[in-house]
Structure formats: C-alpha cells, structure tokens
Amino acid sequence: MTNALILIVEDEPEIAEILDAYLVREGFRTYRAADGQVAIDIQPSIKPDLVLLDVKLPRRDGWAVLAELNRRGNTPVIMLTALDEDIDRLQGLRLGADDYIVKPFNPVEVVARVHAVLRRTSGLRTQRVLRAGALELDTESYQVSVSTRGVSTSLALTLTEFRILAHMMKSPNRVFSRSELLDACLPGSDALERTVDSHMSNLRKKLEQVGNSDAITVVRGVGYRFGRA
Ligand code: CA
C-alpha cells in the first residue's frame, strides 16, 4: 500500500522523530500523537491505515487506546512495548494488536513490520480511504476532501462524479477511455460517451476550485487520466 498513513503514538520525542524519519523515507505519510488521548481524538478524522502505539503514554495509556481503536473498527495496530510484562499482558489479554515490537528497537525492523502488517491486513480490509496528494476520498462515507496547510475542505460531488473520481484514484496515471468510465460509473445506463465529458467537466471544475486543476488531465483522442494530485 503506497503512501499509507501511519499514526505514531509515542511520548518520547526522539523515538517519535526516528520512527517518523524512517517511515517517511519509505514513502509513508505520518502523523504524530504524543499522548493516548490525542490519538483517540484524532483517529476518526485522520483515519490512519496503521497505528504504531507505545504502551506507556501520558493521559491514556496504550492499552486504553488499543481497546478504543478495536471498539471503533479494525485499524491495524503495532504495539511498542518496553517491558516483558507488557508482552505477557498483550498475549494474555489477546487485545487484538496485529504485532508488537520490544524497545529498544531497530527502526529498520519497525518499517519491515509495518510493511508486513499492511500486506497481511490489506487483503482483509478493502482500502476505505483513497489518497493522492492533498486529496482524500472516503469510499464508505462518500466524502471527498482536500487539505491545505492542515485545513480540510470538503467537496460536494454528485454520485456520478464521486464514482468517476474513486474509479480513477484507484489507478493513478492510468488512462481511462470514455466507454470504460461509462461502464464503471454509470452502469446499465444508456448514456452516451459525451455524458462522461459533461460529468468530467463538472468534476474537474470542482477540483480546480480547491487548487487541484491538474488532478485529472485530458489525454487527447484517448480519454482521461488521474495524476498524482
Ligand atoms: Ca512512553
């Protein structure tokens, strides 16, 4: 899963910094929370693909965060544990972490585990949130938003515009013909190929209004391509 978002929940700045640097170097996007309460508060809005979760944290500890994440859904979690007793508890409680890593750790090992857990879990969980640059599309809540300097603006798309965008975002840089988009996004309708052009024109205008004028480009004589916004 490229550019997956990893939430790093760690109160020791040096450790958070190192994890962040290694993950970013691997192409992941990261978000940091320095205590458990922040992690619990931020998770619904940033929807991380995986959480790296320290056990000993201020305000709410890693166990409380893990329990809350499991109650909310199925975000993969890798626990960062400092002590053997943490591991005993992790195994004993079967709290549903996907993996655990004992401190002190090698950051290369952490990155490898992140890849492994994402590989293992991505088949089970279809990717709910599609992302490209600042653009984010939630396939379950049907919301599309663009974030600029931490401020998220949502886009009001019609269902057809949403389907076109979702379909194209799943295969960045691939060129789609009009008939392909028609089949995928307006199934069973007897709409003409130029109908795609009119939906596309509206969609591109809406993207342009939020600063993504290059997100979808026209490939003359072929169709449309969604680039990396
Ligand atoms: Ca800690």
Side-chain angles (χ1 to χ4, degrees), residues 8-23 30 32-34 80 105:
I8 302 165
V9 192
E10 169 63 74
D11 59 319
E12 289 165 71
E14 300 81 8
I15 295 178
E17 189 73 46
I18 289 167
L19 288 174
D20 201 331
Y22 274 79
L23 289 166
T30 57
R32 287 199 229 165
L80 306 173
F105 49 71

Side-chain angles (χ1 to χ4, degrees), residues 21-227:
Y22 274 79
L23 289 166
V24 166
R25 206 170 62 186
E26 277 289 299
F28 292 108
R29 292 174 314 115
T30 57
Y31 196 100
R32 287 199 229 165
D35 71 56
Q37 190 59 50
V38 170
I40 288 171
D41 292 344
I42 204 75
Q43 183 269 335
S45 52
I46 68 167
K47 302 181 195 82
D49 298 294
L50 184 143
V51 180
L52 280 177
L53 181 59
D54 187 27
V55 171
K56 303 272 188 295
L57 291 165
R59 294 170 82 200
R60 304 288 295 277
D61 69 11
W63 304 117
V65 177
L66 180 62
E68 182 59 24
L69 291 177
N70 285 334
R71 199 184 62 74
R72 288 177 185 172
N74 48 16
T75 308
V77 176
I78 298 177
M79 300 291 281
L80 306 173
T81 70
L83 303 162
D84 288 349
E85 59 196 72
D86 289 341
I87 299 163
D88 290 344
R89 187 166 172 196
L90 194 57
Q91 291 170 336
L93 290 175
R94 297 187 190 285
L95 261 171
D98 293 85
D99 203 351
Y100 64 85
I101 295 166
V102 182
K103 288 178 176 182
F105 49 71
N106 178 345
V108 174
E109 171 70 11
V110 177
V111 171
R113 300 281 192 98
V114 167
H115 277 300
V117 169
L118 285 174
R119 261 199 310 275
R120 201 167 71 218
T121 55
S122 64
L124 309 172
R125 303 162 168 121
T126 53
Q127 199 176 346
R128 174 177 170 173
V129 180
L130 302 170
R131 295 189 180 90
L135 196 62
E136 189 175 289
L137 181 146
D138 189 321
T139 58
E140 284 179 23
S141 67
Y142 286 84
Q143 284 173 330
V144 180
S145 62
V146 172
S147 52
T148 319
R149 287 176 220 98
V151 180
S152 178
T153 313
S154 57
L155 265 72
L157 301 185
T158 65
L159 183 58
T160 301
E161 290 160 8
F162 181 89
R163 283 182 179 152
I164 290 172
L165 184 59
H167 190 68
M168 295 181 83
M169 280 180 81
K170 283 173 190 163
S171 307
N173 295 321
R174 201 188 130 199
V175 180
F176 293 90
S177 69
R178 288 168 178 80
S179 64
E180 224 179 317
L181 290 170
L182 205 54
D183 288 345
C185 307
L186 289 156
S189 82
D190 49 10
L192 299 168
E193 289 191 9
R194 65 170 174 269
T195 309
V196 172
D197 291 332
S198 111
H199 288 293
M200 195 60 91
S201 158
N202 293 333
L203 174 58
R204 291 177 72 212
K205 263 181 224 149
K206 289 176 184 179
L207 289 168
E208 198 179 322
Q209 280 162 8
V210 290
N212 280 254
S213 53
D214 301 330
I216 295 174
T217 48
V218 181
V219 182
R220 201 173 282 275
V222 189
Y224 296 94
R225 170 173 54 213
F226 179 86

